[in-house]
Amino acid sequence: MIELRNVYKSFNSHHVLRGVNLKIEAGEGVVVIGGSGTGKSVILKHVIGLIRPDKGEVIIDGQNLADLSEGELSHFRKRFGMLFQGAALFDSLSVWENIGFVLKEHSRLPKEAIMEIVKAKLAMVGLRGIEDKMPADLSGGMKKRVGLARAIAMNPKIILYDEPTTGLDPIMSDVINNLIAQMNQNLSVTSLTITHDMKSAYKIANKIAMLYHGEILEVGTPTQIQNSKNPVIQQFINGSSEGPIRVD
Amino acid sequence: MRFFDRFGKWIIRFLTEMGAMALLFYNAFIYIFRPPYRLRNLSKQMESVGVGSIPVVLITATFTGMVLALQGYTGFKRFNAEGLVGTVVALSMTRELGPVLTGLIVAGRAGAAMAAELGTMKVTEQVDALATLAVNPIQYLVTPRFIAGIVMLPLLTVFSDFIGIAGGYLISVNLLGANAGAYLQRTTQYLEMEDIFGGLLKAAVFGGIIAGVSCYKGFQADGGAEGVGRATTGAVVVSEMLILISNYFVTAFLRS
């Protein structure tokens, strides 16, 4: 279970999070939506401990991340998998070295066994025969899928997705959405996704939470969010420039 | 009032940066002794810093030795002491020019590469990705570069010393007509192990500075390509300044 309790975070004088409360039950897939630059990725980075809150608590499976030392936190992260917005593949390593990286670092498996797992994970994301390619040789969609294969290499219990469909064409976006939905269902993981792509949100979420002005405005099922009376949510999900959300 | 405000902010920023850099140096050093030891990663960095710098060090040292011999000859001839050219070339190269020039060259070549590589990794979230995969970015990225700097700079300096002395010999014997045997004898006569080891100690300090500063600047990069460019320039400028400043203090320490 993931829980953010009254989390505040500022960068210089810019208050990004102003008391975020969010609870994700085990096995649940929650999508946080919100405009660009509203602090969605900051929430994600709090959950995996890359950023520490100025105030408030981040609790994962009953463990307050603030109580962990840097070494303990690093060990704790083994239960996470994370897909980055730009995939963040290590560009000096080949595809198989990227996916097998975490196995090489944290297991004593021989190279052959790692290679087998890499092939299996690549097959799960619909890719074959690209083990020896370098990230620079891959398209945006392939990079995302390799990033996803790397995120699930250690069979994590929690997967975090940062803007999984940003920068992809509509068809590739749908491929990634289907993959994430399948992954959440088949691997029964807890997932937290950050996106402003509503099509993606409806497809992969059990629950959707709207972040606005540094706070979670509303949480609900995709249907509840679609039927929300809140004008901010209606403006956002309908992608309208008219409404209470000001575009500076 | 505005002046004091700005000056105060500058001081705070400077001290914050110095503190963060010192912390990075400390952590990179501590992780040298903590497993896992990634030897493949380390050898790759040693090759990049050391082997990759050989051509530029070769050219710089050769021509520095040659010009030292020419200038030394011109100066010493004025009071009939041409015989001392070999001694001056050897002492200048081992005590000062070998380590300092090698340091400046490596800062421009390997230091810039380190800052650009880590800066790109930072802005493309590869550094964060490392952390999410439960790997400490300092241990994985900085420590191998730190060791490579400390080990390879002295080795490059030995090479530079030798090549510089050879360059001086070439000019003195072949162009200025010095006696080969006498020149070699003068080269070694006044050269002491202390001169060579002092130079190597300086080189190790410079290697640590280059790696530490360049990695720090790379980790501070933000804002895409422009940020990486700023980090790279900053890494070279700060490394070179610190090399020249620390050169004085190490020399003073060795004299005491």
Side-chain angles (χ1 to χ4, degrees):
Chain A
M1 193 181 73
I2 302 169
E3 194 177 356
L4 282 90
R5 286 185 195 159
N6 207 25
V7 170
Y8 283 78
K9 186 69 190 178
S10 299
F11 295 102
N12 298 321
S13 58
H14 183 49
H15 303 294
V16 180
L17 303 182
R18 304 162 189 246
V20 166
N21 287 290
L22 184 65
K23 199 171 179 179
I24 306 167
E25 299 293 343
E28 203 172 42
V30 169
V31 172
V32 175
I33 56 169
S36 301
T38 52
K40 301 189 300 295
S41 295
V42 176
I43 291 184
L44 215 58
K45 288 184 176 175
H46 272 92
V47 170
I48 201 162
L50 290 175
I51 298 178
R52 302 217 181 215
D54 295 339
K55 205 174 122 184
E57 292 173 330
V58 179
I59 295 159
I60 313 290
D61 295 337
Q63 175 67 59
N64 186 346
L65 296 192
D67 297 336
L68 299 176
S69 67
E70 203 53 49
E72 288 167 336
L73 184 61
S74 184
H75 184 72
F76 195 76
R77 287 189 185 122
K78 287 179 192 168
R79 65 182 71 192
F80 286 93
M82 183 164 173
L83 172 62
F84 286 83
Q85 193 175 337
L89 299 178
F90 304 127
D91 43 25
S92 59
L93 304 181
S94 66
V95 166
W96 92 261
E97 286 170 322
N98 261 286
I99 301 170
F101 184 86
V102 71
L103 297 161
K104 194 173 156 242
E105 285 292 326
H106 304 302
S107 75
R108 292 187 179 177
L109 291 171
K111 191 181 166 186
E112 295 72 28
I114 292 177
M115 194 54 131
E116 283 309 308
I117 296 171
V118 168
K119 282 182 178 169
K121 299 296 176 189
L122 273 175
M124 281 178 82
V125 298
L127 293 171
R128 272 170 228 284
I130 61 157
E131 294 83 358
D132 294 322
K133 283 193 185 293
M134 297 303 284
D137 302 327
L138 305 177
S139 68
M142 285 166 101
K143 278 183 190 168
K144 279 266 163 88
R145 286 193 274 174
V146 172
L148 191 52
R150 185 178 68 181
I152 59 169
M154 285 278 273
N155 301 320
K157 289 179 181 157
I158 302 167
I159 308 185
L160 309 175
Y161 303 97
D162 189 3
E163 308 267 11
T165 56
T166 299
L168 300 180
D169 66 64
I171 295 167
M172 188 49 71
S173 295
D174 201 47
V175 170
I176 298 288
N177 287 336
N178 287 338
L179 271 174
I180 293 173
Q182 275 172 26
M183 211 73 77
N184 289 351
Q185 209 169 27
N186 298 344
L187 305 177
S188 50
V189 292
T190 309
S191 75
L192 174 60
T193 308
I194 299 299
T195 189
H196 47 227
D197 175 358
M198 289 314 300
K199 207 175 163 190
S200 172
Y202 294 142
K203 197 150 201 173
I204 61 182
N206 297 127
K207 277 187 191 165
I208 296 176
M210 168 90 188
L211 180 71
Y212 184 64
H213 280 179
E215 288 178 72
I216 298 292
L217 199 60
E218 200 169 313
V219 185
T221 63
T223 317
Q224 285 170 334
I225 290 293
Q226 273 172 309
N227 297 327
S228 170
K229 297 270 189 294
N230 192 315
V232 171
I233 291 176
Q234 280 306 321
Q235 185 192 350
F236 188 81
I237 64 175
N238 293 317
S240 168
S241 59
E242 301 292 324
I245 304 175
R246 295 256 172 245
V247 183
D248 297 322
Chain B
M1 206 60 195
R2 188 173 282 179
F3 167 78
F4 287 112
D5 183 47
R6 276 189 187 171
F7 185 67
K9 278 181 183 161
W10 185 85
I11 291 284
I12 290 169
R13 207 168 53 233
F14 177 77
L15 290 177
T16 307
E17 195 148 335
M18 285 297 116
M21 213 182 283
L23 204 59
L24 184 75
F25 270 85
Y26 172 77
N27 283 324
F29 181 74
I30 290 297
Y31 281 120
I32 292 175
F33 309 102
R34 286 194 194 160
Y37 306 107
R38 299 178 178 90
L39 295 179
R40 197 182 138 202
N41 208 350
L42 177 62
S43 61
K44 195 177 155 195
Q45 291 309 321
M46 285 185 159
E47 188 194 345
S48 169
V49 173
V51 181
S53 300
I54 286 177
V56 273
V57 170
L58 175 78
I59 291 169
T60 311
T62 307
F63 283 93
T64 303
M66 285 162 66
V67 85
L68 265 179
L70 268 182
Q71 295 283 34
Y73 181 83
T74 310
F76 286 128
K77 198 176 176 219
R78 290 175 189 167
F79 41 92
N80 298 322
E82 300 97 309
L84 287 173
V85 170
T87 308
V88 166
V89 170
L91 287 180
S92 306
M93 285 307 298
T94 53
R95 291 185 69 95
E96 206 54 47
L97 292 172
V100 172
L101 286 178
T102 305
L104 295 177
I105 289 163
V106 174
R109 206 197 73 83
M114 282 180 200
E117 189 182 356
L118 296 198
T120 307
M121 288 186 76
K122 171 81 189 325
V123 299
T124 56
E125 296 191 302
Q126 293 177 54
V127 176
D128 281 348
L130 262 182
T132 64
L133 295 170
V135 171
N136 186 304
I138 295 177
Q139 188 176 24
Y140 188 83
L141 295 171
V142 183
T143 300
R145 286 167 172 80
F146 193 65
I147 299 173
I150 291 174
V151 173
M152 295 317 281
L153 252 287
L155 292 180
L156 282 171
T157 299
V158 170
F159 177 70
S160 170
D161 292 349
F162 181 78
I163 295 295
I165 290 169
Y169 173 89
L170 204 73
I171 291 298
S172 299
V173 174
N174 295 326
L175 193 72
L176 305 172
N179 179 281
Y183 185 89
L184 282 177
Q185 197 238 335
R186 283 298 173 100
T187 297
T188 53
Q189 189 177 6
Y190 297 108
L191 187 65
E192 293 172 13
M193 289 311 274
E194 179 195 314
D195 301 318
I196 296 169
F197 285 128
L200 298 187
L201 175 70
K202 282 182 180 182
V205 171
F206 300 160
I209 288 173
I210 294 165
V213 169
S214 304
C215 291
Y216 172 78
K217 287 287 179 186
F219 274 1
Q220 293 297 308
D222 58 6
E226 195 188 344
V228 175
R230 256 197 321 268
T232 308
T233 311
V236 175
V237 172
V238 175
S239 295
E240 294 192 342
M241 290 296 112
L242 287 180
I243 285 172
L244 295 174
I245 293 166
S246 65
N247 181 40
Y248 170 78
F249 288 105
V250 178
T251 306
F253 167 75
L254 289 170
R255 267 175 57 86
S256 62

